[in-house]
Amino acid sequence: MKKLLVAVVLALVLGVYSLGTTVFAVDQVTNAMYEESLDVAEDGSQVKSIFDKDFEKVKKLIDNDKSFVPEKFRDEVIQLSKMGTPYKVYYAPDDFIEPFTMDGDFSKAVKGQVFWEVPLLDDKGRVISTSTAWKEQGAWTIAQTGLYAPVEVIEVTTNPELLYELLKDNNIEGVKKIKHVRSIDVGLDILYIKAKSGEYLLPFGNRPDITGLENLKVYTVDEVKNIWKELLEEQKQKSQSNNMNPEE
């Protein structure tokens, strides 16, 4: 009887510990995302005001032109309902890829221009589009409406619980920083994740065939460096070959 009681108590303790550990880990992801949120941004209130004022305009825009929503939703009656949580995006410098393949320092990619993007949700809670704001001549303004990345990816990368599950499945522990980076040159968004267990990149974009990276697959920084280094080398060899054998 005593052994059974000890086993039950131990199971309860381990269950509570496991739950507490999970909650703590989710909190780490939530806190890292919070550090990149409007709530702590210097111009946060201005950006939020711009998004709020623009919402009705965007709503009419989407009502009148379905090209601003994914093709799979265009046969439906779309009811734009509300905005999701805005997230900060760093524009990677145009020339960051080649230096990155040499020194493996991805942190340089988060030193470019900053803008804000907000998911637009329909009455079913689905992401159907986004609006983007950036600073122009000292003032924040809406720059564009429309999706840059697949909606399924936005849903994962803006949800702490879903993102935590993805990171947990890849044994990533002790998350410290999460930064959203966009490279227009290669048509790619990447989450740069700095954790106790290392530095990781989570890519998502519409042309993984060009970038050599699978959407929502977690890579180490070194893995991406080597993939891109190989792609650049292939491009150089192809370019040299074309120069040596021009078409007549």
Side-chain angles (χ1 to χ4, degrees):
M1 184 65 180
K2 287 184 178 180
K3 290 183 178 179
L4 178 60
L5 181 60
V6 170
V8 171
V9 171
L10 182 59
L12 288 172
V13 170
L14 290 175
V16 171
Y17 173 77
S18 177
L19 177 61
T21 301
T22 299
V23 170
F24 176 70
V26 173
D27 284 346
Q28 287 181 331
V29 174
T30 301
N31 290 339
M33 294 174 74
Y34 178 76
E35 289 301 316
E36 298 291 309
S37 72
L38 278 180
D39 292 335
V40 296
E42 183 178 350
D43 296 338
S45 59
Q46 297 176 34
V47 176
K48 185 178 184 305
S49 176
I50 290 294
F51 281 137
D52 289 341
K53 290 178 181 178
D54 193 68
F55 183 72
E56 288 303 319
K57 179 181 175 182
V58 170
K59 191 172 185 299
K60 291 179 182 178
L61 185 68
I62 290 176
D63 286 343
N64 295 326
D65 189 348
K66 288 298 196 307
S67 68
F68 288 99
V69 302
E71 189 173 349
K72 65 179 181 179
F73 295 148
R74 291 176 189 171
D75 292 333
E76 301 182 31
V77 177
I78 298 294
Q79 294 291 330
L80 183 57
S81 175
K82 62 180 181 179
M83 293 182 291
T85 302
Y87 48 90
K88 184 191 292 187
V89 183
Y90 297 83
Y91 261 137
D94 292 341
D95 58 351
F96 92 98
I97 290 182
E98 190 163 4
F100 167 64
T101 62
M102 292 186 287
D103 62 21
D105 183 5
F106 193 83
S107 65
K108 294 176 183 176
V110 300
K111 295 179 181 178
Q113 180 186 4
V114 170
F115 63 94
W116 292 90
E117 201 160 76
V118 63
L120 302 173
L121 312 178
D122 69 359
D123 54 352
K124 298 177 183 177
R126 301 176 300 183
V127 176
I128 60 169
S129 195
T130 60
S131 278
T132 305
W134 61 38
K135 213 168 191 177
E136 191 173 57
Q137 297 181 344
W140 286 96
T141 183
I142 298 297
Q144 63 185 32
T145 298
L147 286 164
Y148 190 81
V151 293
E152 298 82 2
V153 177
I154 295 174
E155 289 169 352
V156 172
T157 57
T158 57
N159 185 311
E161 287 80 13
L162 293 178
L163 184 55
Y164 161 73
E165 290 296 333
L166 184 60
L167 299 181
K168 183 185 72 171
D169 290 344
N170 287 274
N171 300 313
I172 296 176
E173 301 176 347
V175 173
K176 299 176 182 178
K177 293 181 181 180
I178 299 175
K179 295 183 182 291
H180 187 144
V181 179
R182 179 167 296 168
S183 172
I184 297 297
D185 277 359
V186 294
L188 179 70
D189 282 37
I190 288 183
L191 287 191
Y192 168 57
I193 301 161
K194 190 171 184 178
K196 183 179 179 181
S197 51
E199 290 181 284
Y200 305 89
L201 299 175
L202 181 66
F204 49 103
N206 290 306
R207 295 298 305 272
D209 56 313
I210 292 177
T211 63
L213 305 176
E214 295 180 31
N215 282 344
L216 294 182
K217 178 179 177 179
V218 178
Y219 295 85
T220 65
V221 166
D222 280 345
E223 285 174 333
V224 174
K225 180 190 76 171
N226 292 333
I227 290 171
W228 282 355
K229 190 172 185 177
E230 186 174 328
L231 285 175
L232 286 178
E233 186 60 34
E234 289 176 358
Q235 290 176 2
K236 288 179 181 178
Q237 290 179 359
K238 185 176 181 180
S239 177
Q240 290 172 355
S241 177
N242 290 339
N243 290 336
M244 293 175 63
N245 302 289
E247 293 184 0
E248 296 183 359

